[in-house]
Amino acid sequence: MWVSWRWLSRWVDTEGVDPVGFAQRFTCTVAEIDRLKRWGFELDAVVVGDVVGVAPHPNADKLRLATVDLGDRQTTVVCGAPDLRLGMRVPFVPVGVTLPSGIVVKDGEVRGVRSPGMLASEADLGLSDNHDGLLSLEGVVAPAGTPLPRAIELGDVLYEVDNKSITHRPDLWGQYGMAREVAAMLGRPLLPLDVTVPLGQGAPVQVEVAAPDACPRYVCARIAQAKVAPAPVDARLLLRRLGVRPINNLVDATNLVMLETGNPLHAFDARQVRGNRIVVRRAAAGETLTTLDGQARTLTPRDLVIADAEGAVALAGVMGGQNSEIQPDTHEMVLEAAAFDAATIRKTAMRLGMRTESSARFEKALDPELPLVAARRFLQTVLAWSPGAVVTSDLLDAGPCRENPPTRVLIRTTTAYLRTRLGVTADELPDAWIVACLQRLAFAVEHTDDGALTIGVPGFRATKDVRIAEDIVEELGRHYGYGRIASAAPLIAARPPFTSPSRVAERAVRAALVLQEGMTEQVLYGFDHEGHRARLALHEHDAPRLGVRNEIAKDLVRLRRNLAPNLLAAAEQVLTTGEGKEPPREGLTVQTFEWGRVFVPSPPRADANDRERAALDLGAPPLALDLDRVGERQGWFTLMDADMRDAVQGTLDADRPLPWQPLRLGVVCGERLGGGAEGSKRVVPERAASQRVFGQALSAVHAAVRALGKPPLQVVPHADVPAAGSMPIAAPDWTTSWRHPRRCVALVTTAGQVVGLVTLLHPDVRNRMQAPAELAVAELDIDAVLALADAVPMGHAPPRQVGSALDITGRIAASTRQADVVAAMTRAIAAAGLPLEQAGYLYEAAQADGSRSVTWRLLCRAADRALVADELARILQVAQATVATFAPVGSP
Amino acid sequence: MDSAPWQADIEAARQHWLAATAGCAQLTALRSVQVECLGKNGAVTALVRRIAEVPPADKRAYGQATAALKAACEAAVAARHAELEAAEVQAELDDDTFDCTIPPQAALSGRPRPTGHLHPLCRVQHEVEAVFSSMGFAVLDYPEVESEFNNFEALNIPSWHPAREMQDTFWLDNGLLLRTHTSSGQVRALHTFKPPFRAVFAGKVFRYESTDASHEHTFHQLEGLLVDRVVSVGHLLDSMRTLLSAILRRQVEVRLRPGYFPFVEPGFELDIQCQLCGGAGCSACKHSGWLELLPCGLVHPQVLRAGGLDPAQWQGWAFGLGLSRLAMMRYAIGDVRLLLGGDLRFLSQF
Ligand SMILES: [Zn+2]
């Protein structure tokens, strides 16, 4: 909203105050100023001219020659304005002047005719962007030749106030409210609004307020013998610079008074008020009204209309109807100045997409006393701008507010409390200052010597804004100046702060994965991307996902239930486009992870409710917790005041349990492969590449679990995982389109609970990638891992004996799992009564026939003695015999 | 009517190429059959072109017959292609030579370990959390899908309140919403902790808002909340100055201006003195000497009540810090969409 310093100065003495410098203080005290504009300066050389002759231009159809009387001389200039006519008063710019708009007036020829000067439009003078015709100075009394700044009101500083910073201040939506703040800031008196106006007798129309809940006050008056004409030039320029287009004196009067008081007004052509009757009522379902903008609107019973005896003539508080607007020949009109229910106006304006100057103000909850003031200001203005007009009725005051005015808001507090909340002393902020400040802001203050205060809130602050002592703290604080308040450290007993386990866990895991595993951290959207999912055929079969009712884009309609899809799309991108400045190449790898929440619409198992609660209460510290208070809701309910209680009642009934929002760790590792035949992206990865990316993903999960201080998870191959239905938990989803049905493992706790999985990408998904690549995905349920008991290392003494390492190499079938071989060796050696501490895989080499030549290392040690050569030889023998049983069929 | 000689040619070609297509056991073989048959110099392509040699009376029939032949061959190739692809996938799925029991370190041996990268948002979040933790603040974590109560009502934003418009909200089909601010954790913390306490909680927040270089529908915030017996504007000023100096790693001067947020009273916009010009005014601070940093205020009594505390006994302050904005300031990131865009070429700089 624009604020005019010149306008404010009508009510406050601003002498000696530099409005530009004052802006900073205004921002810190009242509302944020987005922009500051100087208006109408440097026009001293422009003078008032009377057009005393108009002649055609000899060489141009669209130009004319205007002879202008400048008081002491006459001159003839070329003019292109279509509205030029004899007898007009216009601004004349002499030769040699540079206007604020940048125009330089030169003594030159226009199409062969000399033109020593120019007649100016508003835009030429930099007063607005209006190029349509000359600035008409009709009604200006100064003699011809008078410098323009002495003939009309020029020179203003405009503040553009951030509307967001005054949504809670209905009083600041009018210039007078701004003036009140400025007066309080300057400590100077505020002149009252002059509301004296001669009224007539009797009712203007019959008024019935049939929807008193939505219309606390409806003020009406009738004016006759008005004449439609342009408003005075000063008023037109004022409206323009505050962003309102002038129309004619009657419409402009409604707008000017709205800008001044903040109360929107509406004027009906009295001839169009059928049956001489006005009804304020809810619209009938399906009722239609064509508004001033020419749009036919279909209404609902939640909308409020102003109707006459036959039908709706205005959409209350939003826009007038086309059927009743002021016409060029309007001479008698009915004025409406009303207070409407803020929520009703806001809902109608939102539903119909009609955010007007009027609805913007009404939805801030205006003071129901304001229409009385606004109506009188309007009548005054019309009488001044339309000589001969008379008010032919009394001011009719309808609506429930007259009989039952709103209860006065009284705040009882003490000056000591106000000072405590600000953090100032009585020396800094004496009682007298507090009382004076509040009085300047129009609060009624009763003050006793012991500092007790009873504060009556003025109506224009009482609708939604000021209700409690804290609101008074703000009033005093901003006018005292927050910058003057000394800082003070809060007094809280020192105790070690609690940190949510999930936050501790995230730090540990990301450190391990980034620093130790060399992975890159991702933070991705909480929405699934349907486009990527469709293109890569990523889905969780029929597992439900949470939907968004008002999606922002058609691809973002559901919340993710797994981290893998978004991670896969990001990995695909870098495998396709390459890293940094390097083009993509064979062997390019990507290792990423994300730590984040996923969303499961309904808990998959009954006991998940407890897990949900556990997840939600991760903020609950076991020691500092006040157990009596957790989950208890009666307590706060009785503390609420009545209207807050009513407001939340509906919500409580609909208090739904939150969906399960488990924390997950998602990992995607990939490697770009060489292109297939003829550049095909469809490549079957070599086994070694598959083993590598799978190994990376598995390694990341192990590192994460270790970083969390939990015991290692068992890696259970797919074939050993029970059917999906009998899984101990259903998350992360086991059945997905991207899981390779064989090349995957479940991560299982010692209690047999599946808490994660690692899988190679299903070939159907992999083949859809834009680059030939092999990828592995891991997903781990962090809530479940955090619930495990910590792994506490045992402090065994180091072995006294030196052990012996034996490497053993054997050929096994391609489909044999090396772990099965290790298990068999371990069993056989133990059965033979030989000491084996550990057996582990070392490396392997692929054989020409497809079999594998694998090398294991056996670590042999006895606790009480050194092993002799014979024992080692026997271990080797048993091991070799065992490995031989795994030899590929048909091998020698 | 006698059949023209070309009819036999076309029929022969049809039988030959359909059989050849069906006989392909490999995608590579199918590809060469496709070239031989339908390529630029392919046999069927040649037949189609031979229309020039056909007598004028036959041209129409010849054209139709060759078009049908071409279509049949194309369909056969496509069908065989799909079959072979499916077979290839099936072969891959049936292949049991993958050994998922090889220890990861062994599978990776010989490969250099890449350099890892921390996400800029998490770097900033952890730095800020560490500062608060060191000053005695609990560090908490709260859900992203929230109830209307926690996100609005408990924060003194009832349904009729104009502030609900400023918070353009994503509504979910189960009637819940995606939190529009981390302030939704305030009432959770108030219900959980025994006062006096102080806490921060950070995370993703969501706004129904179209995106551009400075607007995102998903971004990160950090909420701070302190509850004590007596909390004044002076306390808030002190805390903000100290905390922000620690976070921004320099002595910062702050100022408070009136700001409207329903869950604080009084509410403020907190500005910090511009670092570039030291308060003298420059283009970065729009010549005001100050930069708007965060909203804050004294906790509104209604919020304390919603959290089960008696405002006659307890008071508090709260603030909301834009972590996305802080990350953008710290790392000179010009486009907020880069943060959650997932582009590893961007992330590998951190
Ligand atoms: Zn600066």
Side-chain angles (χ1 to χ4, degrees):
Chain A
M1 194 184 81
W2 287 99
V3 179
S4 157
W5 186 258
R6 197 178 177 105
W7 203 348
L8 303 190
S9 305
R10 292 184 193 173
W11 304 298
V12 195
D13 175 12
T14 55
E15 192 61 41
V17 182
D18 168 24
V20 177
F22 191 71
Q24 279 270 357
R25 237 185 104 194
F26 188 91
T27 284
C28 287
T29 310
V30 184
E32 182 171 4
I33 296 174
D34 276 343
R35 202 143 56 106
L36 191 140
K37 211 157 74 178
R38 286 165 51 83
W39 176 90
F41 288 98
E42 283 122 38
L43 292 170
D44 300 300
V46 182
V47 297
V48 176
D50 285 317
V51 179
V52 293
V54 177
H57 189 290
N59 307 324
D61 285 348
K62 294 205 169 149
L63 298 178
R64 284 180 290 173
L65 304 182
T67 303
V68 192
D69 180 9
L70 301 173
D72 55 349
R73 65 191 171 101
Q74 288 196 351
T75 186
T76 299
V77 295
V78 176
C79 176
D83 61 337
L84 174 72
R85 57 185 165 70
L86 195 64
M88 214 179 172
R89 307 207 88 186
V90 290
F92 174 82
V93 192
V95 168
V97 173
T98 302
L99 292 171
S101 60
I103 295 174
V104 183
V105 182
K106 289 188 196 129
D107 189 359
E109 285 191 356
V110 182
R111 302 288 293 270
V113 177
R114 188 171 163 250
S115 182
M118 70 176 274
L119 308 186
S121 70
E122 289 174 27
D124 295 332
L125 300 176
L127 299 178
S128 79
D129 50 11
N130 178 26
H131 287 277
D132 303 341
L134 301 169
L135 169 60
S136 164
L137 299 178
E138 198 171 329
V140 170
V141 292
T146 308
L148 199 60
R150 280 198 269 136
I152 64 173
E153 285 183 2
L154 284 182
D156 197 356
V157 173
L158 304 169
Y159 293 168
E160 187 175 18
V161 170
D162 179 7
N163 285 348
K164 248 181 9 206
S165 71
I166 52 172
T167 49
H168 60 309
R169 292 286 304 267
D171 62 315
L172 295 187
W173 287 78
Q175 305 285 318
Y176 189 72
M178 292 290 185
R180 187 184 296 113
E181 289 286 342
V182 171
M185 286 170 73
L186 295 174
R188 297 180 186 177
L190 176 75
L191 295 183
L193 277 173
D194 178 10
V195 290
T196 52
V197 65
L199 296 174
Q201 299 283 316
V205 283
Q206 241 188 309
V207 173
E208 183 198 344
V209 177
D213 57 320
C215 178
R217 176 158 254 141
Y218 196 87
V219 173
C220 229
R222 181 180 282 256
I223 295 183
Q225 296 164 41
K227 190 166 171 299
V228 173
V233 60
D234 288 333
R236 277 185 280 128
L237 289 175
L238 186 53
L239 285 172
R240 274 239 193 258
R241 64 184 186 264
L242 295 185
V244 178
R245 194 166 60 92
I247 313 258
N248 60 48
N249 54 350
L250 304 185
V251 175
D252 291 356
T254 61
N255 286 330
L256 194 89
V257 175
M258 171 182 76
L259 293 177
E260 179 184 75
T261 62
N263 201 134
L265 301 167
H266 193 67
F268 300 98
D269 185 324
R271 296 171 296 184
Q272 309 298 331
V273 179
R274 294 160 293 188
N276 200 31
R277 183 176 155 75
I278 281 179
V279 186
V280 186
R281 61 166 169 82
R282 298 278 177 179
E287 186 171 1
T288 57
L289 171 68
T290 302
T291 41
L292 276 175
D293 53 5
Q295 301 278 316
R297 312 281 181 175
T298 305
L299 308 179
T300 76
R302 279 189 296 181
D303 302 319
L304 189 69
V305 295
I306 311 300
D308 63 10
E310 290 172 35
V313 292
L315 195 49
V318 182
M319 198 180 272
Q322 217 171 33
N323 52 5
S324 61
E325 73 177 310
I326 299 292
Q327 304 289 331
D329 63 344
T330 298
H331 53 87
E332 188 160 1
M333 56 178 180
V334 174
L335 164 76
E336 158 197 306
F340 296 119
D341 171 54
T344 303
I345 303 302
R346 183 165 62 92
K347 281 178 190 146
T348 296
M350 276 177 75
R351 188 177 63 76
L352 298 173
M354 302 171 73
R355 310 302 296 276
T356 59
E357 291 273 347
S358 169
S359 71
R361 286 177 169 78
F362 278 121
E363 66 185 43
K364 306 298 181 293
L366 297 177
D367 177 14
E369 295 298 315
L370 200 53
L372 292 168
V373 174
R376 287 168 171 274
R377 292 290 292 165
F378 172 84
L379 297 174
Q380 239 184 19
T381 308
V382 171
L383 296 192
W385 290 358
S386 178
V390 285
V391 183
T392 55
S393 76
D394 196 358
L395 214 54
L396 183 144
D397 182 7
C401 210
R402 186 178 163 190
E403 301 293 319
N404 301 302
T407 332
R408 185 113 195 263
V409 177
L410 284 180
I411 297 172
R412 290 194 172 76
T413 184
T414 64
T415 52
Y417 179 77
L418 299 173
R419 279 192 286 263
T420 308
R421 295 312 306 274
L422 281 172
V424 293
T425 64
D427 289 338
E428 291 167 318
L429 198 63
D431 284 18
W433 195 96
I434 292 176
V435 171
C437 172
L438 291 174
Q439 282 171 341
R440 278 201 298 273
L441 292 169
F443 290 88
V445 186
E446 278 175 38
H447 173 247
T448 59
D449 287 343
D450 59 356
L453 287 172
T454 305
I455 301 165
V457 180
F460 52 84
R461 301 295 303 275
T463 47
K464 293 264 159 85
D465 176 13
V466 178
R467 336 208 69 172
I468 56 175
E470 281 71 12
D471 296 314
I472 301 296
V473 173
E474 169 156 21
E475 295 302 298
L476 294 175
R478 63 194 182 85
H479 277 280
Y480 175 71
Y482 292 120
R484 293 163 66 188
I485 297 173
S487 13
L491 307 167
I492 286 192
R495 67 164 88 115
F498 168 78
T499 300
S500 172
S502 63
R503 303 298 308 140
V504 179
E506 186 198 328
R507 280 177 219 177
V509 167
R510 61 199 288 274
L513 296 190
V514 171
L515 303 177
Q516 176 191 325
E517 297 290 307
M519 308 192 80
T520 297
E521 186 181 27
Q522 283 278 20
V523 180
L524 297 166
Y525 295 109
F527 302 97
D528 269 331
H529 191 289
E530 300 306 321
H532 292 324
R533 287 172 63 96
R535 186 171 54 76
L536 296 174
L538 299 170
H539 57 84
E540 293 99 346
H541 299 280
D542 295 328
R545 289 176 290 150
L546 263 178
V548 179
R549 272 186 198 163
N550 52 337
E551 74 269 10
I552 195 117
K554 68 174 176 24
D555 276 325
L556 308 177
V557 293
R558 299 200 174 277
L559 300 188
R560 61 183 182 186
R561 84 174 263 145
N562 289 287
L563 297 176
N566 285 344
L567 278 170
L568 281 169
E572 182 199 20
Q573 191 220 356
V574 77
L575 288 171
T576 308
T577 58
E579 236 178 346
K581 295 188 180 74
E582 265 186 80
R585 56 176 163 79
E586 184 177 347
L588 171 70
T589 62
V590 51
Q591 298 84 11
T592 59
F593 73 95
E594 183 180 9
W595 175 281
R597 289 190 189 278
V598 298
F599 307 92
V600 183
S602 50
R605 282 162 53 88
D607 67 31
N609 279 324
D610 295 329
R611 286 167 45 85
E612 171 198 356
R613 207 166 299 131
L616 295 186
D617 286 343
L618 281 178
L623 293 176
L625 200 61
D626 184 346
L627 288 170
D628 293 342
R629 297 189 49 248
V630 174
E632 181 196 324
R633 281 205 161 169
Q634 302 95 312
W636 66 262
F637 201 70
T638 51
L639 287 165
M640 294 255 166
D641 61 20
D643 55 339
M644 180 79 174
R645 250 197 318 259
D646 292 345
V648 302
Q649 188 71 65
T651 326
L652 285 184
D653 295 341
D655 201 8
R656 300 170 185 83
L658 294 187
W660 193 21
Q661 303 173 53
L663 265 177
R664 293 274 182 79
L665 172 68
V667 171
V668 164
C669 296
E671 185 173 323
R672 176 147 174 153
L673 307 175
E678 293 156 32
S680 164
K681 289 175 217 144
R682 208 184 155 90
V683 175
V684 177
E686 284 174 20
R687 181 168 160 261
S690 299
Q691 294 283 6
R692 272 197 300 274
V693 296
F694 187 88
Q696 276 164 347
L698 185 56
S699 173
V701 172
H702 282 315
V705 172
R706 192 180 146 82
L708 292 174
K710 303 301 180 186
L713 295 173
Q714 285 171 265
V715 176
V716 179
H718 77 96
D720 305 339
V721 173
S726 65
M727 296 270 290
I729 65 159
D733 288 320
W734 181 253
T735 311
T736 63
S737 69
W738 59 86
R739 183 175 66 85
H740 193 299
R742 299 176 86 114
R743 301 181 174 187
C744 68
V745 296
L747 304 166
V748 182
T749 66
T750 46
Q753 188 190 29
V754 177
V755 295
L757 66 93
V758 182
T759 180
L760 284 175
L761 209 50
H762 192 291
D764 272 340
V765 173
R766 191 199 63 217
N767 286 335
R768 287 163 181 263
M769 294 264 167
Q770 287 168 337
E774 174 67 314
L775 292 110
V777 176
E779 200 146 327
L780 184 66
D781 190 272
I782 295 297
D783 294 338
V785 173
L786 288 179
L788 300 176
D790 286 344
V792 182
M794 306 302 280
H796 295 302
R800 282 198 229 150
Q801 304 297 331
V802 177
S804 304
L806 298 174
D807 287 358
I808 171 168
T809 301
R811 285 180 65 207
I812 59 172
S815 59
T816 302
R817 291 187 211 141
Q818 70 83 21
D820 294 344
V821 182
V822 170
M825 278 194 289
T826 310
R827 273 197 309 273
I829 294 168
L834 293 164
L836 174 70
E837 192 165 289
Q838 194 184 313
Y841 174 98
L842 267 191
Y843 53 83
E844 70 180 85
Q847 300 297 294
D849 62 356
S851 67
R852 304 158 62 191
S853 170
V854 181
T855 302
W856 293 271
R857 176 161 292 174
L858 308 179
L859 183 60
C860 310
R861 177 156 40 209
D864 51 352
R865 64 201 158 82
L867 295 183
V868 296
D870 181 45
E871 276 176 310
L872 293 175
R874 280 172 59 208
I875 291 172
L876 200 57
Q877 197 184 2
V878 173
Q880 269 164 345
T882 313
V883 173
T885 63
F886 290 90
V889 181
S891 81
Chain B
M1 192 177 91
D2 286 338
S3 55
W6 49 262
Q7 280 176 325
D9 292 351
I10 289 175
E11 184 51 31
R14 178 192 314 277
Q15 286 181 9
H16 173 75
W17 290 114
L18 293 189
T21 305
C24 288
Q26 304 270 314
L27 280 165
T28 43
L30 182 65
R31 251 175 244 123
S32 30
V33 167
Q34 188 178 9
V35 171
E36 287 163 30
C37 169
L38 295 160
K40 215 165 33 170
N41 301 314
V44 168
T45 312
L47 266 180
V48 171
R49 285 200 193 122
R50 211 176 297 154
I51 192 161
E53 301 161 19
V54 173
D58 281 7
K59 273 195 198 292
R60 184 185 165 88
Y62 184 85
Q64 283 171 349
T66 50
L69 169 65
K70 191 175 167 215
C73 291
E74 280 168 351
V77 167
R80 188 63 189 151
H81 192 85
E83 278 170 29
L84 288 177
E85 278 196 346
E88 192 180 270
V89 168
Q90 194 54 49
E92 226 188 296
L93 293 177
D94 291 341
D95 177 6
D96 60 358
T97 61
F98 182 77
D99 188 348
C100 58
T101 69
I102 295 177
Q105 303 86 324
L108 291 170
S109 66
R111 292 269 160 164
R113 176 82 67 200
T115 310
H117 306 281
L118 295 165
H119 195 282
L121 273 173
C122 297
R123 287 171 86 114
V124 168
Q125 181 178 342
H126 285 176
E127 276 178 37
V128 174
E129 283 178 349
V131 166
F132 280 100
S133 187
S134 74
M135 300 178 85
F137 281 76
V139 179
L140 310 177
D141 193 13
Y142 285 128
E144 292 162 15
V145 171
E146 260 294 5
S147 65
E148 229 178 317
F149 179 83
N150 282 344
N151 197 74
F152 289 126
E153 266 84 2
L155 294 169
N156 197 32
I157 317 176
S159 58
W160 46 261
H161 208 288
R164 286 228 181 162
E165 279 166 51
M166 295 193 255
Q167 317 259 355
D168 296 311
T169 311
F170 280 111
W171 293 95
L172 302 179
D173 52 17
N174 59 2
L176 297 166
L177 49 80
L178 290 171
R179 64 177 175 193
T180 60
H181 44 201
T182 42
S183 311
S184 60
Q186 283 194 15
V187 76
R188 291 182 179 277
L190 287 168
H191 269 289
T192 315
F193 285 88
K194 188 173 189 166
F197 72 90
R198 43 196 157 172
V200 291
F201 25 102
K204 272 183 191 159
V205 300
F206 306 82
R207 299 277 170 89
Y208 184 79
E209 182 166 81
S210 44
T211 58
D212 60 32
S214 49
H215 295 88
E216 248 289 24
H217 55 69
T218 305
F219 54 99
H220 283 66
Q221 276 186 347
L222 178 131
E223 190 86 1
L225 176 66
L226 174 147
V227 174
D228 201 348
R229 289 288 181 193
V230 175
V231 177
S232 73
V233 177
H235 294 131
L236 175 67
L237 269 170
D238 178 77
S239 305
M240 288 296 121
R241 193 173 288 137
T242 316
L243 294 166
L244 291 172
S245 296
I247 290 163
L248 301 174
R249 303 174 186 148
R250 63 186 166 96
Q251 193 59 41
V252 296
E253 270 317 305
V254 303
R255 78 168 184 188
L256 300 176
R257 300 185 274 117
Y260 172 58
F261 310 96
F263 40 99
V264 283
E265 187 63 55
F268 307 106
E269 291 283 4
L270 181 141
D271 299 338
I272 55 168
Q273 201 164 59
C274 177
Q275 186 180 10
L276 290 175
C277 62
C282 68
S283 62
C285 56
K286 291 196 239 157
H287 304 284
S288 70
W290 297 91
L291 287 172
E292 185 172 319
L293 187 69
L294 55 81
C296 58
L298 301 186
V299 181
H300 196 285
Q302 292 288 49
V303 178
L304 292 168
R305 289 189 187 106
L309 294 184
D310 181 355
Q313 301 292 317
W314 297 101
Q315 303 170 353
W317 59 240
F319 69 87
L321 175 66
L323 287 179
S324 302
R325 217 175 128 229
L326 193 60
M328 291 173 76
M329 279 166 63
R330 177 151 296 172
Y331 304 115
I333 298 168
D335 188 335
V336 65
R337 291 167 296 190
L338 287 170
L339 288 174
L340 298 185
D343 192 326
L344 288 158
R345 294 168 298 175
F346 167 74
L347 295 175
S348 61
Q349 305 170 98
F350 294 93

